[in-house]
Amino acid sequence: MVGYKSIDDYVASGMVVGLGTGSTAYFAVERLGQKLASGELRDIVAIPTSVRTKEQAESLGIPLVTLDTHSRLDVAIDGADEVDPKLNLVKGGGGALLREKMVEIMADKFIVIVDESKLCDGLGPGFPLPVEITPFCHEHTIRQVAALPSVAGCEAKLRMGSAATGAKPDGDEIAVTDNGNYIVDLFFREPIPDPAKAADELKALCGVVDHGLFCGMSTAVIIAGSDGITVKTA
């Protein structure tokens, strides 16, 4: 499994490791716990990117720290919702995009683990782009986001129900992130023409906390496919 391979290939004793969030990252956390318990890895500390990853890591006895004490990481490992040919990503289906980005941007290596269904020719149509926004005047912010030139043509929808279950509504209440914010999901019919420009425009908009475009961050992408496991590097 790609989650296990990411730990086996990229994590060594003495490292500070960022732990991602989601169904694929779950197995990387599981593997790290196994190798610490067996003694194969030692002196590891890890930084979780969500409450549920923190709870999983604690249940496995993985020593945890935060960015407040460890601002530099040796490696971070996480899944993605879309991966383009340049290894730019859309992340945030699980609602943890802000904490994921804060941790993963500080890692010397960022290892992405996906199955081949997440590969795409262009970001946008295959998975909605999440944008974390402040609850204050959120309807205003949603209109401002949708009006940005770099995301022209998108349909902006406030995430409802659980923040962790993607853009498909699963409840009547507004979804709230671990940080107490809302998420607006941007739906695209065509690929985002310039993901880096979209990333800059979204980040610069007042009321936006962060977004799910992870551009120029990936060191390697480990892909589970029908023919086995392959690795793409930046």
Side-chain angles (χ1 to χ4, degrees), residues 10-11 15-19 73-77 107-111:
Y10 290 96
V11 177
M15 284 188 170
V16 181
V17 182
L19 301 178
L73 291 77
D74 295 288
V75 64
I77 297 167
D108 290 344
K109 293 181 179 179
F110 177 33
I111 309 304

Side-chain angles (χ1 to χ4, degrees), residues 5 8 14 28-29 34 49 51 56 59-61 66 75 78 98 111-112 125 132 141 145 158 164 186 203 218 230 233:
K5 182 175 175 62
D8 293 346
V29 179
Q34 289 175 358
T49 55
V51 172
Q56 182 196 3
S59 74
L60 296 170
T66 72
V75 64
D78 205 354
L98 174 61
I111 309 304
V112 182
E132 188 160 344
T141 303
V145 166
L158 188 64
L186 307 184
K203 184 71 173 180
S218 307
T230 57
T233 55

Side-chain angles (χ1 to χ4, degrees), residues 68-148:
D68 285 338
T69 56
H70 294 72
S71 285
R72 182 193 151 273
L73 291 77
D74 295 288
V75 64
I77 297 167
D78 205 354
D81 299 304
E82 278 192 313
V83 183
D84 78 3
K86 294 182 179 179
L87 307 189
N88 295 318
L89 316 174
V90 166
K91 290 178 49 56
L97 56 142
L98 174 61
R99 296 189 185 191
E100 288 171 344
K101 190 175 287 184
M102 287 181 69
V103 170
E104 289 153 10
I105 205 167
M106 298 308 300
D108 290 344
K109 293 181 179 179
F110 177 33
I111 309 304
V112 182
I113 46 178
V114 296
D115 65 68
E116 61 186 355
S117 70
K118 305 298 176 67
L119 303 180
C120 64
D121 293 328
L123 302 177
F127 197 91
L129 170 61
V131 181
E132 188 160 344
I133 63 173
T134 59
F136 176 73
C137 294
H138 64 276
E139 293 180 359
H140 156 77
T141 303
I142 291 172
R143 289 195 299 270
Q144 295 294 105
V145 166
L148 289 173

